[in-house]
Amino acid sequence: MNRVVHPIEEESYRRLRARLDTSHFPPLTRAVVERVIHSAADLDYATDLVMDEGSLEKAHAALHAGAPVVVDVEMVAAGITRRETVCRLRDAVAGPGLTRSAHAIRLAHEQVGPGALWVIGNAPTALEELLTLDAAPALVIGLPVGFVGAVESKAALRESGLPAVSNVSEKGGSAVASAALNALLYHPLSHPVPHPDSHSEEKS
């Protein structure tokens, strides 16, 4: 995508790279690590984040081919300014053994089906609910924050074998979750991606 980088952001990245060598990371992993660090001003994310370059490559292609993006809360949606997102929290209702955040994930899954990118930065219960569904995601960015359930839900995500971006500690949040998605959104394509509804040779 065509994006003009503000001089303040350029200077922020220059200072980040002066303090932390990220050159050993593969391209998309580096993009995610740097943008998450940039969003939080926290260099510890360089060793806290867990992801796989191959999964990121597939997710990057799916994102740029128009795959839906689902978020758990509006704060995550607000951080993703160049892409429409699905958030069903306003429609969700808590029930016995089911938080409102978890119900929102169910509603979103019914709406988008398989192949979406899921961005969870707030509620561990949203991530836990996603793992119970047959969502077949293109990627799960699971970075919920908190002292209750966050570490456990992210560990369960890694154990699930789903393509994912997660982190080991209690840290996370809406800003870093949206930053991880934006890293893939802003990263240039190595080649044009055909529109998912097109069967011709025309490239979008």
Side-chain angles (χ1 to χ4, degrees):
M1 68 184 338
N2 293 325
R3 176 174 176 266
V4 177
V5 179
H6 193 279
I8 292 176
E9 182 178 333
E10 289 184 344
E11 176 61 14
S12 179
Y13 267 74
R14 187 194 68 77
R15 295 188 185 190
L16 185 164
R17 289 167 178 162
R19 294 176 61 180
L20 177 71
D21 181 10
T22 60
S23 62
H24 61 285
F25 288 118
L28 288 171
T29 299
R30 182 183 188 186
V32 172
V33 168
E34 288 187 341
R35 189 149 295 276
V36 166
I37 290 173
H38 173 261
S39 73
D42 187 345
L43 297 175
D44 288 343
Y45 274 111
T47 54
D48 192 37
L49 287 165
V50 180
M51 69 197 87
D52 171 72
E53 184 73 8
S55 295
L56 293 181
E57 289 172 354
K58 293 175 183 177
H60 182 255
L63 178 64
H64 286 271
V69 176
V70 182
V71 300
D72 62 333
V73 292
E74 294 289 350
M75 287 180 66
V76 175
I80 303 170
T81 58
R82 293 171 179 262
R83 185 63 176 269
E84 292 295 320
T85 61
V86 173
C87 182
R88 298 297 303 274
L89 190 61
R90 292 182 181 180
D91 306 316
V93 180
L98 185 73
T99 67
R100 187 167 166 239
S101 294
H103 186 219
I105 293 299
R106 288 189 187 180
L107 294 175
H109 177 245
E110 291 170 1
Q111 178 178 339
V112 304
L117 288 88
W118 296 77
V119 189
I120 298 175
N122 184 69
T125 58
L127 181 53
E128 291 166 359
E129 181 64 23
L130 179 59
L131 296 180
T132 70
L133 304 174
D134 187 20
L139 185 71
V140 179
I141 295 174
L143 296 169
V145 61
F147 292 112
V148 179
V151 167
E152 294 83 357
S153 67
K154 289 180 279 194
L157 172 60
R158 290 190 293 276
E159 292 167 4
S160 74
L162 294 175
V165 175
S166 69
N167 69 306
V168 176
S169 73
E170 295 93 346
K171 294 188 296 187
S174 298
V176 297
S178 59
L181 189 282
N182 285 336
L184 300 180
L185 195 59
Y186 299 160
H187 197 275
L189 292 166
S190 57
H191 53 78
V193 174
H195 190 278
D197 298 327
S198 173
H199 298 286
S200 70
E201 293 298 318
E202 182 180 350
K203 305 295 184 182
S204 61

